[in-house]
Each structure stands twice: as C-alpha cells, then as structure tokens.
Amino acid sequence: MNKLVKFCAAALMVSACGMVEAAPAANNDFVTVKDSHFVRKGRAYYIAGANFWYGGYLGAANSVGDRARLMKELDNMRALGINNLRVLAVSEKTEMKSAVRPATTSAPGQYDEELLAGLDFLMAEVAKRDMTVVIYLNNFWQWSGGMTQYLNWFEGTPALDPNVTKDYDTYMQKTAGFYRNAAAQTEYRNVIAKIVKRVNTVTGKPYSDDAHILSWQLANEPRPGNGKATPEEKAVYVKWIDEVAGYIHSLDKNHLVSSGSEGLAGSAHDAQLYLDAHRTKNIDYLTYHLWPKNWGWFDSNNPSGSWDNAIGKSRDYLNSHIELAKKLGKPIVLEEFGLDRDGPSFSIKASTRLRDRFYREVFDIIATRAGKGDPIAGFNFWAWGGMGRAANADFWWKPGNDFVGDPPQEEQGLYSVFDSDVSSLLLIKEYADRLHAIKR
Ligand code: IFL
C-alpha cells in the first residue's frame, strides 16, 4: 500500500508539472516518418502507448461521459510516460448484444453530435498534455457495431455476433464482404470525411491541423476473411487498404495513415499478403498485435505447461515482424498485446504475476531492438482500465457501467490494466522511460 501511495504521489507531481496548454502546431509537431523511424519536433519519437478505445465516450458531456475521470486518467497515464493512445472514433448502432451503446452513428448518415463532441474533448485534453493519438475509423469486430453492422444496413444480412454464434470462421468470411459492398464503402467514406475534416468543437481547430493525431487508422484489426481466405479475397483486401488509405491522404496531407492489422495472425498467416497490404505509399507504417491466449499458444488454466510455448512463439512473432518492416523500409508499432490475470480471474483482486512477466518479455524485445536502431517504433498495451471498475458479478458490461479496457464483447477485467495494478504500472513506466531515452 505504501508503495502505491508513493507511486501515485510521484505520478501526480509529474503530471502537474508537465501540463502544457494547446498551442498552434508548428510543422515539425506532426509525427512524420524518416528512415524507418518516427520523428516529432525534430527528435526520434517512440511510442509508449495504451489502448484507450473509450476515450471519446468518456469525453461526452452527457451522462455517457465522465470528463472528470477522463482528465484524471490522462494525467495518470502521462505520469507513467504513456505518450500515445489508440482510440475508437466511431461506432455503429446495432442489435448485437456484445456491442457498446449508444453508438455515434445511429443509421447511415445519422450521427450523434453530442457523442462525437466527446472525441473533441478528448483531443483538447490530449493536446494539453502533449500526447498523441491513433484514431481508428471502423472495426472488424462486433463490439462497436463495425463492418458486420454496415453489411446489415446495406445488404440486409443479419449483423453476426460471434459471441452468440460461436462461429468465428463464418463471421470473418462474411464480414470481409464489407470491402466489396459499394454502398457500405460509400457510407464508410462519408464517415471518414466527417471525422477527418471535422473542426474540433472545443478548440476550434480542424482535426487535419491537430499535431496530436499520430495517424488515422482504417479499422481495428481488419482481416481479409478467415484463415482460408482465397487469392481473390486477399486481392480485394489489399486494394481496399490502398484505396481507403489514399482517400484519407487526399483529405488530410498532415497525418500518417495506418491499417490496424494484427500482422500475420490477421493475414491468413500469409507474409506476402501482409507485405502487399503495407507496401503501398498510402500506408506509412506497419502495425501488429500479439495475443498468445486468443491464438491458443497459452492456456491460462495450465500456465506452467504452456508458458514456454507461448513465450517462444511470442518472441518469434515480435522479431519476425520487425524483419518484415525492414523489408518495406517502414516503422512498425506493436499496437496491441495482453495476457489475463492469474487464476485466470477477472477480479481486480487477482494478482498479475504472469501478465507482468509477459509484459517484460515484450517490452524487453521492443526496447532492445529499438535501441539498436531497428524500425520498431514502440507499443500500445491492451488496455487501460484505469479507475474503471466492473459493476456486475459476471463481469459483463451493461449500459451505464464504467468503461474499462475490455470492450463489451469480453468480460471486464480480462486484459485491462487498472490503476491499482501497481507492479504493471511500474513496469510500463520503466520501459516508457527507456524508450523515451533513445536518441538517434
Ligand atoms: O478486445 C479485443 C479487441 O477486439 C482487439 N483485439 C484483441 C482484444 C482482446 O481479446 O482488437
């Protein structure tokens, strides 16, 4: 407890001292890519980031949001050295139970301006703390409505909730139909234009002039289909990434554009496909995600029996993607990874020994390779739970409950890092400091 109090006091001091007011962006305030690395304000820029999908929701002025909490979360993250957030921009209203509600888009062309202003508030507060944000504009998964909901609108097919059907292969194969549906693509581009060309209602600044946006991201974890995607499906996916990224660049010359891909695990384990999808000049850097338990490498009911396998495969995954980035001469960001609490348990009272061990392995590879000059630009752990707490005995989110790092398709507490997880927070701070100290 003593350690926690000391940590929090130190954290608050750093955040209070470090606050800066939003100022007009100078040209070199934008994150750019030079020689396979990020540069900002004339210096190497490494990301020690968090996933914070609900940041815009917390920013809403109505009862959906909690601005006081949002400001405290940002202060606490900044005090840990977290300098980047990965945030959801929009959500689509759906009947699916495991999706967040309310949604920013209630039907094609109908947008909830009050909720969208939450993203404005978030961006205004991020600017005061000089952090940067990756903003994703769609979701391959159902927890924000996403591509399956677009298909419901424009194809009339039911939005598929794989939490209910339990059939992920069919879900992925059908959801990839989104890339081929012309009407869905038109509405998706309308939404992109609405966000990218938006003028922040809090600061009065156009988003396209906001140097605190690191990149626009096409979607969370877009996949070409399932593990058996056909050559045609792969070609459609590559073309979609190129064209949508090009469209975003045509609207906004200042910001980077990224895909949101998981890497090989989200590319039917086809390295050529992953390279082809990220080769285009319209994609400025590569992304990848690492999920040992989701991918069956780690069994949290048999941690000692599966640990070596999980860590061996994770190391290979981390390193091999850095080699792929080298081939394309672009930076790469590990923008999601996580492991569950000991037990396994969703309870905030459960220890996080295994997670911390896993985080250290991941951080160590990233910091070591970044230190050597390899094109790994940093990480976003999944996900910041902060002050949020699960309200229900079964850990499932219901409207009105706190938002945490785990979206509503998973139990709250599965992968979230809470503000009471002192050992994890200290670890994040240790490696954030290491990354920020790298000079080039
Ligand atoms: O919550 C999940 C999220 O949809 C994602 N990737 C994996 C997370 C944890 O399962 O993008």
Side-chain angles (χ1 to χ4, degrees), residues 10 19 73 80 87 90 110 112 120 127 152 156 175 183 193 259 262 278 280 293 333 337 378:
M19 289 270 280
E73 300 287 19
L80 292 170
V87 171
V90 287
Q110 287 173 30
D112 180 338
D120 298 341
N152 173 251
T175 299
S259 67
E262 297 146 89
H278 294 83
T280 162
K293 175 174 155 174
V333 176
F337 60 95

Side-chain angles (χ1 to χ4, degrees), residues 1 10 15 29 38 93 138 154 159 167 200 205 286 319 350 367 370:
M1 191 56 167
S15 66
D29 285 359
F38 287 155
K93 186 174 177 191
N138 206 332
F154 294 104
D167 180 355
N200 189 310
K205 184 184 255 201
L286 288 70
N319 284 314

Side-chain angles (χ1 to χ4, degrees), residues 83-324:
N83 62 348
N84 179 263
L85 308 172
R86 185 166 171 264
V87 171
L88 174 77
V90 287
S91 48
E92 295 72 33
K93 186 174 177 191
T94 180
E95 308 252 294
M96 293 182 294
K97 224 180 132 214
S98 53
V100 65
R101 28 187 58 84
T104 61
T105 304
S106 55
Q110 287 173 30
Y111 311 116
D112 180 338
E113 293 299 336
E114 232 182 347
L115 200 48
L116 288 177
L119 191 62
D120 298 341
F121 185 82
L122 169 72
M123 290 311 303
E125 292 300 317
V126 156
K128 289 181 192 167
R129 293 158 180 84
D130 204 23
M131 299 161 96
T132 59
V133 176
V134 172
I135 300 181
Y136 45 104
L137 299 154
N138 206 332
N139 200 345
F140 190 75
W141 304 114
Q142 82 279 17
W143 55 264
S144 58
M147 297 179 189
T148 191
Q149 182 54 40
Y150 273 90
L151 289 176
N152 173 251
W153 286 335
F154 294 104
E155 244 179 34
T157 43
L160 289 175
D161 189 337
N163 268 22
V164 175
T165 66
K166 308 286 178 212
D167 180 355
Y168 274 88
D169 273 345
T170 303
Y171 174 85
M172 290 188 266
Q173 201 254 328
K174 294 215 158 146
T175 299
F178 168 76
Y179 312 124
R180 291 189 301 269
N181 185 296
Q185 291 305 309
T186 301
E187 168 61 7
Y188 171 51
R189 286 186 181 218
N190 290 343
V191 170
I192 290 176
K194 183 164 177 69
I195 301 295
V196 173
K197 289 164 66 180
R198 187 173 176 79
V199 176
N200 189 310
T201 55
V202 177
T203 62
K205 184 184 255 201
Y207 273 41
S208 56
D209 288 345
D210 187 344
H212 300 95
I213 295 173
L214 186 149
S215 92
W216 297 113
Q217 191 158 91
L218 269 49
N220 179 48
E221 300 195 337
R223 290 186 171 197
N226 60 28
K228 295 192 193 111
T230 63
E232 291 71 32
E233 286 168 330
K234 291 177 181 177
V236 166
Y237 175 74
V238 170
K239 189 161 175 278
W240 175 78
I241 290 185
D242 177 38
E243 290 180 354
V244 178
Y247 174 64
I248 298 174
H249 276 301
S250 78
L251 300 175
D252 176 353
K253 307 281 179 222
N254 285 329
H255 290 112
L256 305 179
V257 176
S258 54
S259 67
S261 166
E262 297 146 89
L264 293 192
S267 309
H269 294 279
D270 178 344
Q272 194 56 47
L273 170 64
Y274 179 64
L275 288 171
D276 290 346
H278 294 83
R279 191 186 313 279
T280 162
K281 68 173 187 334
N282 294 320
I283 289 290
D284 296 289
Y285 65 95
L286 288 70
T287 61
Y288 69 138
H289 302 180
L290 172 63
W291 287 106
K293 175 174 155 174
N294 294 8
W295 300 342
W297 301 349
F298 179 66
D299 177 358
S300 44
N301 288 305
N302 177 20
S304 51
S306 57
W307 180 259
D308 289 349
N309 177 54
I311 286 301
K313 288 191 167 142
S314 296
R315 286 190 192 125
D316 284 351
Y317 199 80
L318 289 168
N319 284 314
S320 62
H321 283 74
I322 301 175
E323 298 309 314
L324 293 172

Side-chain angles (χ1 to χ4, degrees), residues 396-418:
W396 287 100
W397 179 84
K398 292 193 186 63
N401 295 158
D402 285 357
F403 295 113
V404 303
D406 307 291
Q409 97 288 13
E410 283 163 338
E411 292 88 342
Q412 294 195 304
L414 176 63
Y415 293 129
S416 289
V417 176
F418 294 105

Side-chain angles (χ1 to χ4, degrees), residues 341-356:
R341 308 180 79 89
D342 299 330
S345 170
F346 306 121
S347 166
I348 200 161
K349 293 189 191 130
S351 57
T352 58
R353 266 189 297 275
L354 284 174
R355 176 187 298 171
D356 291 350

